[in-house]
């Protein structure tokens, strides 16, 4: 599978010097550390009084997750998301492949590539990337919910329930919460009472 950024994270970082490896190839810098702001936003989401306020907080979370390590990484991320929005999934995958190759420690590259594969119904590929995104960013609620949807797509319902419940513990306002509502696909069916007088 958007928070008022505090002063510490809203100010643009100074232009980073181009880092190169021994062969002269440009190296992606380490992802920016927004962990404190993310944790603060998640706490606010858990206490949000209504869906409108939760949506604002969620938008602020997305702004942090989509803050790529440098201009080159940001251009790849933006290109992939633009291609996906126009249903050019091949072009989107190409951009995200380039992004994860260039910035293998940036979680959002994997999360966005997973979303494209989810839309292509390649749930197994999506799940691999979501697991990688969560290893890099354990509080990435969107990756958690995407993981639940991918597991559901694979028919692994029990695991999908666990994954979605974990995501909802972080953000109870997730759109995917309807999957756990009565009648939803991730709610166990109630056993039907035995009809009387049906002894054979």
């Amino acid at each position: 599978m958007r928070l008022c950024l505090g002063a510490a994270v809203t100010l643009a970082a100074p232009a980073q010097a181009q880092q190169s490896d021994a062969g002269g190839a440009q190296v992606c810098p380490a992802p920016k550390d927004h962990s404190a702001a993310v944790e603060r936003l998640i706490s606010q989401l858990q206490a949000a009084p209504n869906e409108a306020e939760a949506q604002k907080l969620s938008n602020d979370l997305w702004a942090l997750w989509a803050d790529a390590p440098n201009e080159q990484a940001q251009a790849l991320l933006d290109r992939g998301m633009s291609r996906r929005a126009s249903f050019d999934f091949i072009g989107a995958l190409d951009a995200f492949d380039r992004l994860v190759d260039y910035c293998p420690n940036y979680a959002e590259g994997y999360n966005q590539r997973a979303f494209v594969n989810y839309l292509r119904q390649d749930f197994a590929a999506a799940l691999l990337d979501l697991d990688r995104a969560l290893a890099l960013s354990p509080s990435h609620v969107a990756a958690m919910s995407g993981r639940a949807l991918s597991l559901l797509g694979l028919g692994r319902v029990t695991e999908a329930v666990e994954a979605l419940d974990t995501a909802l513990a972080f953000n109870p306002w997730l759109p995917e919460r309807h999957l756990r509502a009565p009648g939803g696909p991730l709610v166990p069916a109630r056993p039907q009472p035995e009809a009387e007088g049906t002894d054979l």
Side-chain angles (χ1 to χ4, degrees), residues 1-5 41 54-66:
M1 325 176 204
R2 310 172 179 181
L3 181 203
C4 301
L5 305 182
L41 285 170
Q55 186 59 57
K56 292 177 186 176
L57 295 167
S58 181
N59 290 343
D60 291 339
L61 272 176
W62 276 111
L64 295 175
W65 292 328

Side-chain angles (χ1 to χ4, degrees), residues 123-136:
F123 304 121
L127 191 59
L128 287 173
D129 274 343
L130 291 165
D131 285 343
R132 179 60 179 156
L134 287 166
L136 292 167

Side-chain angles (χ1 to χ4, degrees), residues 171-196:
N171 178 6
W173 295 98
L174 283 172
E176 293 82 6
R177 67 186 185 276
H178 71 275
L179 298 175
R180 294 288 281 138
L186 294 183
V187 177
R190 290 183 178 180
Q192 296 298 317
E194 294 184 10
E196 295 181 6

Side-chain angles (χ1 to χ4, degrees), residues 71-88:
E71 289 184 6
Q72 181 176 336
Q74 193 70 58
L76 288 169
L77 179 66
D78 294 345
R79 183 188 313 163
M81 294 173 73
S82 176
R83 296 283 173 85
R84 186 194 66 226
S86 62
F87 301 97
D88 176 9

Side-chain angles (χ1 to χ4, degrees), residues 136-152:
L136 292 167
S137 181
S139 298
H140 199 309
V141 184
M144 294 178 198
S145 61
R147 188 171 183 275
L149 293 172
S150 297
L151 287 164
L152 180 60

